[in-house]
């Protein structure tokens, strides 16, 4: 349901293109990990994945379930609320692992938050949290890195700029690109697994940004 809404809305906001290293949809029971840059990028990612007939279970901050309409869509779709900084946060990993075991795809954002930058430019993913590595270890699922670029041209920055971005995007229709990398199995050890996953997502993001001609894609990432 949520993926269908995204697929209907995103073409009105921008020109979305999708590429993949492996030329096919991620295998059932895969974890898809994406970079997070804008309030718009979950819609961009869901719309791109639906083109591959993938409708993932999304791990998202629990506060979204309190938003009318969106909360109902999240609940009906079986998406997983993450109660950050509470004793309930770990429960989200168990629910996600069960979805993977049932053959569902699970979408997770490694950074766990939006960047604090005010500009609309592209930049590599920030540091990842440990949730992705722990989910991969407990489930044994392969991890598919996904890089998206262009969503900050839809909306980013201060509250006023966010609103202005949404209102003007249908006229501007910026280019959006999503690239899926090859699946990988993360090694034991949360720190090493987290670093490898971030590097893979950064590589996928760089490919997506290059498709848009973004100069940040050519800069070294540290």
């Amino acid at each position: 349901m949520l993926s269908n809404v995204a697929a209907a809305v995103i073409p009105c906001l921008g020109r979305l293109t999708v590429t993949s290293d492996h030329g096919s949809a991620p295998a059932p029971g895969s974890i898809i990990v994406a970079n997070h840059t804008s309030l718009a990028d979950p819609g961009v990612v869901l719309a791109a994945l639906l083109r591959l007939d993938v409708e993932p279970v999304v791990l998202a901050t629990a506060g979204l379930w309190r938003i009318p309409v969106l909360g109902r869509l999240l609940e009906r779709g079986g998406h997983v609320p993450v109660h950050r900084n509470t004793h309930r946060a770990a429960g989200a990993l168990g629910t996600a692992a069960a979805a993977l075991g049932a053959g569902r795809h699970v979408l997770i954002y490694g950074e766990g938050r939006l960047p604090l930058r005010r500009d609309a430019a592209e930049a590599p993913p920030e540091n990842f949290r440990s949730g992705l590595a722990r989910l991969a270890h407990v489930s044994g699922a392969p991890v598919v890195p996904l890089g998206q670029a262009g969503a900050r041209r839809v909306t980013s920055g201060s509250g006023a700029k966010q609103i202005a971005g949404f209102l003007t995007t249908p006229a501007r229709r910026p280019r959006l690109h999503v690239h899926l990398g090859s699946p990988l199995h993360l090694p034991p050890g949360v720190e090493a697994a987290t670093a490898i996953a971030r590097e893979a997502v950064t590589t996928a993001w760089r490919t997506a940004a290059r498709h848009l001609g973004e100069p940040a894609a050519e800069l070294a990432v540290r």
Side-chain angles (χ1 to χ4, degrees):
M1 177 68 73
L2 195 60
S3 294
N4 290 327
V5 172
V9 171
I10 292 302
C12 300
L13 301 180
R15 294 164 288 163
L16 175 62
T17 49
V18 184
T19 53
S20 172
D21 280 346
H22 45 84
S24 61
S30 296
I31 302 169
I32 301 169
V33 56
N35 61 314
H36 199 14
T37 62
S38 164
L39 290 174
D41 68 61
V44 172
V45 170
L46 289 177
L49 290 174
L50 191 59
R51 294 187 181 183
L52 301 174
D53 293 322
V54 172
E55 296 186 58
V57 172
V58 182
L59 271 75
T61 180
L64 296 178
W65 270 252
R66 295 194 294 270
I67 300 175
V69 181
L70 176 59
R72 288 196 294 274
L73 289 172
L74 290 166
E75 186 68 30
R76 290 176 61 184
H79 302 290
V80 182
V82 180
H83 298 269
R84 294 173 180 165
N85 303 316
T86 74
H87 67 281
R88 301 172 63 187
L93 296 184
T95 303
L100 290 165
R104 296 291 305 273
H105 297 89
V106 168
L107 172 63
I108 186 172
Y109 287 90
E111 295 147 289
R113 69 170 192 175
L114 289 170
L116 300 178
R117 294 181 294 109
R118 298 282 183 169
D119 62 289
E122 287 294 323
E126 297 183 344
N127 290 335
F128 277 18
R129 299 190 181 191
S130 63
L132 166 64
R134 291 186 286 126
L135 177 59
H137 291 163
V138 74
S139 66
V143 173
V144 177
L146 182 153
Q148 59 78 26
R152 288 186 68 80
R153 301 293 183 183
V154 176
T155 184
S156 58
S158 65
K161 287 184 67 177
Q162 299 269 4
I163 294 170
F166 274 121
L167 292 177
T168 61
T169 295
R172 295 184 289 111
R173 298 194 73 247
R175 293 174 60 206
L176 312 166
H177 193 86
V178 169
H179 181 79
L180 282 84
S182 298
L184 61 149
H185 286 275
L186 298 183
V190 169
E191 185 174 345
T194 300
I196 288 173
R198 179 174 178 256
E199 181 179 357
V201 173
T202 299
T203 298
W205 161 79
R206 186 181 289 116
T207 299
R210 282 173 178 160
H211 273 271
L212 302 185
E214 288 283 351
E218 306 302 330
L219 301 178
V221 177
R222 294 289 183 265

